[in-house]
Amino acid sequence: MLISELQIINFRNIAFLRAAFAPGLNLIHGPNAQGKTNVLEAISLLVTGRSFRTTMDREMIPWVRDTYEATLVRARVEKRSGEERFMLTFNQSEKHVTINGNPIGRLGELVGRINAVLFTPSDLQIVRGGPAFRRRFLDVELSQISRRYLFCLQRYDLALRQRNALLKMHQSRPNLRQELFPWDAQLAEHGAELIHARQRMVAQLSQLSASAYNRISGGSEGMKITYQSQTQPGDDDDIGTIRAKLEQALAKTQAEDIRRGATSAGPHRDDFTFLLSGRDARDYGSQGQQRSCVLAMRLAELKIMEDATGECPLLLLDDLMSELDESRKRAFMECLDRRIQIFLTATERELVVSHVKPDMIFHMDDGTLREDLIAS
């Protein structure tokens, strides 16, 4: 899978951009605040329909709006099955997506049509931040490769919102326990599938990340990822067994949930942990070790996604080179699979070309992208 051509109009500081990219490593360099990350953000919009930087579309439209009508992101994507054309447009009030000229009704229909793995400096929060960062990572990854997971996630979130709304009104609803029953059943049904998929994903990530971490870090310590759930699913538990455990957990916490007005058991409370030589990387890992954990996991994600879809995903790397010391830069670049189309941003060209030769080099200046010549 690769983007052969990208067009961006009226997106943040980019008034107009049209570029063709190489199948391998595409370097976009230039000083800070020139629009490099905006290019990656625009590409990622075609992956999920949403920005990785903001939840508000209006923040992505140009500051100067005298003649503004709409923002457009369009791409030609080459797959094994042939070329597909994607277009996303939005303004301050609406958003539309078309695939091969056909409009889609919901953004969920876009997920999984273009697969990508994204690294940004804020990814350090996957290790250092709260559980919500790690749950979001799993949800984005699994939704790209499994439409069933995305469906269960949407249904679970809907049931959770409805159950919590009921819990908040408990004082005026004498039959609350009976009214909770259908929502508990939905939470158990869809939540069991989420937990089962996440647990399997974490097991795969742990296995594949271990060797990648060893290469990036120089083999100084072993890395492992473990899934944590209140339902305590066993490694061999099937969906039915997990569902029964989740039903028991919801029944056990019901009185406390009514008192608090919120649901305290379920995959929306689950987490996973990075361990380095058996110790929690969040508490005991250095920043370099924590960042290496995330990079190793991103490399593992590439392999899992390719195995699941039969396509090499895109790899979007934002400001990677400024986040690593020299030895980790060199080791990570050696790990990159050049079969994958890679978009890498950097403040200075030399930060990258001193370690690897890109297939194409672009310079970004005040929202304008131009191709650089590659020295032989």
Side-chain angles (χ1 to χ4, degrees), residues 327-346:
S327 63
R328 293 176 196 265
K329 285 179 191 175
R330 188 177 305 107
F332 180 78
M333 298 307 289
E334 290 173 355
C335 289
L336 293 179
D337 186 344
R338 297 296 279 268
R339 295 179 305 124
I340 295 172
Q341 188 179 41
I342 304 165
F343 295 85
L344 170 63
T345 68

Side-chain angles (χ1 to χ4, degrees), residues 222-257:
M223 173 185 166
K224 184 178 180 181
I225 308 175
T226 60
Y227 190 64
Q228 299 171 326
S229 175
Q230 292 171 301
T231 57
Q232 299 181 334
D235 293 340
D236 299 322
D237 282 359
D238 59 19
I239 293 174
T241 302
I242 297 173
R243 178 175 178 171
K245 290 182 176 180
L246 186 49
E247 288 172 344
Q248 293 171 5
L250 288 167
K252 183 178 180 180
T253 59
Q254 188 182 80
E256 178 65 13
D257 290 352

